[in-house]
Amino acid sequence: MPEPITPVTFPPAFLWGAATSAYQIEGAVREGGRTPSIWDTFSHTPGKTAGGETGDIAVDHYHRYRDDVALMAELGLSTYRFSISWSRVQPTGRGPAVQVGLDFYRRLVDELLAAGIKPAVTLYHWDLPQELEDAGGWPERDTAFRFAEYAQIVGEALGDRVENWITLNEPWCSAFLGYASGVHAPGRTEPVASLKAAHHLNLAHGLGTSALRVAMPARNSVAISLNSSVVRPLSPGDPADLAAVQKIDDLANGVFHGPILRGAYPETLLAATSSLTDWSYVQEGDLRAIHQPLDALGLNYYTPTLVSGADASVRGPRSDGHGASDHSPWPGADDVAFHLTPGDRTEMGWSIDPTGLHELIMRYTAEAPGLPLYITENGAAYDDKPDSDGRVHDPERISYLHGHLAAVRRAIADGADVRGYYLWSLLDNFEWAYGYEKRFGAVYVDYATLTRTPKSSALWYSQAARTGTLAPTETN
């Protein structure tokens, strides 16, 4: 018999949460004055999503939010991270807010507070208003200023009751999956545009942070959530593989944390992309605007990345875990090969490696000393199905969560200031280009009836949230 894992106990003030995003759960895409976002357009374009599925209804959280908050309370969550639909609040991405849109989020926040759950607001989770994309999208400088205006609107509306704010979620995906590989909205495949988008997302973060601080009480916390990659060489002693690690680390991590945390882009990044761009779109004062002091940093982690040097003339499928496309999300990195990392895998094909989360936390503990950290996304997709009694048993997800939460606790013991964890995701939902094929939720959703059923992992996580202790589980 395998030995049970020793119970792990967290600090009393540690926050236990779950996360979602607006387009993935809300539905009601034509209600209350909301206009299309890039994800409405993309998902309605034939061939862009699995089965042509869209977020038109999603899991109808817009109408069922009270029940969903009651479910969170039953599970004992202390915090809930959700995103605001820019198109619901400011339909054209310009001008005054639509109050009925803001009222939905006011009601949601009030419901959470009444249930004793701390709301954490993410302003942007990939759903740019389509009219701003029609004007050029994130590769256009003006979009950053439009974001700052939007941030001020939402900050003024909710800042008296919401203390924890996140400007952008995973800007890497917005820039490089949206504008380089095209597997995410808006589906463009323009390497230079993707680098411009990355810079303007950074600028949006900086300008948005400043706008929030003007609009809100000083007690509130402003952060950003980065899906920073843990990049490892196929052969640690091979100089070509180590050079590949540097290149991908710059494109995955340095392009964002360089200007945000240090006020400068890595010189190695500028050199690696010099054949594509001279970065002249970085204007005087931009880096000062981006380099705003943060109150916290959000880290999203799922799986590590394994790379080696390669012949740039040889093209083939990339095992980088970011969807199938003839176009790379890694501009200037054609001489890098991606490899499947070893070990068990989730339904996304991603390897399960909690050591990567510990490594990521400790990296940012060293690179941003004194900055509180939150794990703002971590979770796994599995092929969950109800049994004959209607129960959904997902022991693989329990094992995944135990391993990664134990890695968080180990990092805390090693001196990291990690203050909370947000499981991805609260509910099964629209999983972007994968449609409804991939289930990340701790709560099962029957898409025909929209009935919610907590999986066994939700009950396990509930116990952890209530006790601050990870229940022992047997290794496989």
Side-chain angles (χ1 to χ4, degrees):
M1 290 290 291
E3 290 295 323
I5 296 174
T6 302
V8 177
T9 301
F10 282 76
F14 191 83
L15 293 177
W16 297 84
T20 63
S21 84
Y23 189 72
Q24 292 182 274
I25 67 166
E26 283 182 4
V29 296
R30 298 175 187 87
E31 294 189 36
R34 184 187 180 279
T35 56
S37 74
I38 55 175
W39 269 98
D40 294 278
T41 303
F42 187 82
S43 64
H44 280 270
T45 302
K48 295 298 186 182
T49 65
E53 291 169 332
T54 75
D56 286 2
I57 298 173
V59 296
D60 197 32
H61 175 73
Y62 185 83
H63 297 110
R64 300 167 185 252
Y65 73 92
R66 288 189 177 89
D67 292 339
D68 289 340
V69 172
L71 182 56
M72 295 178 221
E74 289 175 15
L75 294 175
L77 300 188
S78 50
T79 182
Y80 172 55
R81 176 184 171 229
F82 62 95
S83 76
I84 307 287
S85 166
W86 192 344
S87 294
R88 197 177 294 288
V89 167
Q90 198 186 26
T92 65
R94 303 174 187 272
V98 172
Q99 290 303 314
V100 67
L102 278 174
D103 285 345
F104 167 69
Y105 296 107
R106 289 184 177 110
R107 292 192 301 272
L108 174 59
V109 167
D110 288 346
E111 197 77 15
L112 290 164
L113 292 174
I117 299 169
K118 290 174 66 73
V121 164
T122 300
L123 285 171
Y124 186 75
H125 199 128
W126 308 352
D127 47 354
L128 188 72
Q130 183 60 44
E131 289 198 24
L132 290 183
E133 176 57 31
D134 293 342
W138 285 112
E140 289 297 317
R141 181 178 181 83
D142 184 62
T143 306
F145 292 88
R146 301 286 67 76
F147 176 81
E149 179 184 271
Y150 156 68
Q152 182 168 345
I153 287 170
V154 181
E156 288 174 348
L158 302 178
D160 60 331
R161 285 160 293 164
V162 177
E163 295 183 3
N164 294 328
W165 292 76
I166 293 165
T167 54
L168 308 175
N169 179 76
E170 299 188 355
W172 185 90
C173 295
S174 298
F176 298 110
L177 300 185
Y179 293 94
S181 69
V183 299
H184 278 192
R188 288 162 60 177
T189 53
E190 306 163 35
V192 175
S194 72
L195 291 166
K196 289 182 177 178
H199 175 63
H200 295 140
L201 284 155
N202 282 331
L203 184 59
H205 160 73
L207 296 174
T209 297
S210 296
L212 286 173
R213 289 190 168 132
V214 168
M216 303 190 309
R219 68 174 184 272
N220 290 359
S221 168
V222 181
I224 186 171
S225 285
L226 301 177
N227 57 318
S228 297
S229 294
V230 175
V231 189
R232 296 168 174 169
L234 183 65
S235 299
D238 188 326
D241 291 5
L242 294 175
V245 168
Q246 180 68 63
K247 185 168 287 190
I248 298 305
D249 188 78
D250 283 342
L251 285 166
N253 305 323
V255 68
F256 297 109
H257 76 221
I260 290 170
L261 298 179
R262 301 194 190 94
Y265 286 101
E267 290 296 329
T268 45
L269 170 68
L270 303 182
T273 56
S274 61
S275 63
L276 296 171
T277 177
D278 62 3
W279 292 79
S280 58
Y281 41 83
V282 180
Q283 296 187 14
E284 177 68 28
D286 282 4
L287 292 170
R288 287 194 302 275
I290 295 166
H291 185 41
Q292 298 295 315
L294 289 174
D295 300 302
L297 179 65
L299 300 176
N300 297 357
Y301 173 82
Y302 293 93
T303 190
T305 300
L306 188 64
V307 300
S308 68
D311 186 338
S313 66
V314 177
R315 300 296 180 89
R318 291 181 318 280
S319 299
D320 65 357
H322 293 297
S325 173
D326 292 333
H327 303 271
S328 173
W330 306 101
D334 290 339
D335 57 348
V336 174
F338 293 82
H339 303 271
L340 289 173
T341 50
D344 294 336
R345 302 185 182 282
T346 69
E347 283 293 308
M348 295 294 289
W350 299 341
S351 69
I352 302 166
D353 189 347
T355 68
L357 180 55
H358 179 270
E359 183 178 329
L360 185 68
I361 294 169
M362 298 315 297
R363 173 180 182 170
Y364 282 96
T365 296
E367 295 198 2
L371 188 63
L373 304 176
Y374 291 85
I375 307 307
T376 41
E377 286 186 28
N378 177 239
Y382 289 104
D383 186 19
D384 305 312
K385 293 182 175 65
D387 63 18
S388 58
D389 295 323
R391 295 174 299 187
V392 183
H393 188 45
D394 57 341
E396 300 92 348
R397 185 174 287 104
I398 293 173
S399 177
Y400 181 99
L401 294 175
H402 192 293
H404 287 78
L405 280 161
V408 172
R409 184 64 184 90
R410 189 163 63 254
I412 293 171
D414 290 341
D417 184 10
V418 186
R419 299 190 180 181
Y421 175 95
Y422 292 86
L423 181 155
W424 185 270
S425 175
L426 175 68
L427 303 162
D428 290 336
N429 55 42
F430 177 77
E431 186 50 40
W432 307 112
Y434 293 98
Y436 295 93
E437 287 185 353
K438 308 297 186 185
R439 293 181 178 269
F440 275 89
V443 175
Y444 182 86
V445 178
D446 181 328
Y447 293 126
T449 66
L450 298 179
T451 301
R452 278 86 155 130
T453 303
K455 304 172 187 178
S456 56
S457 62
L459 304 179
W460 180 90
Y461 188 68
S462 174
Q463 182 180 357
R466 293 181 188 282
T467 65
T469 301
L470 306 185
T473 181
E474 290 190 347
T475 57
N476 293 327

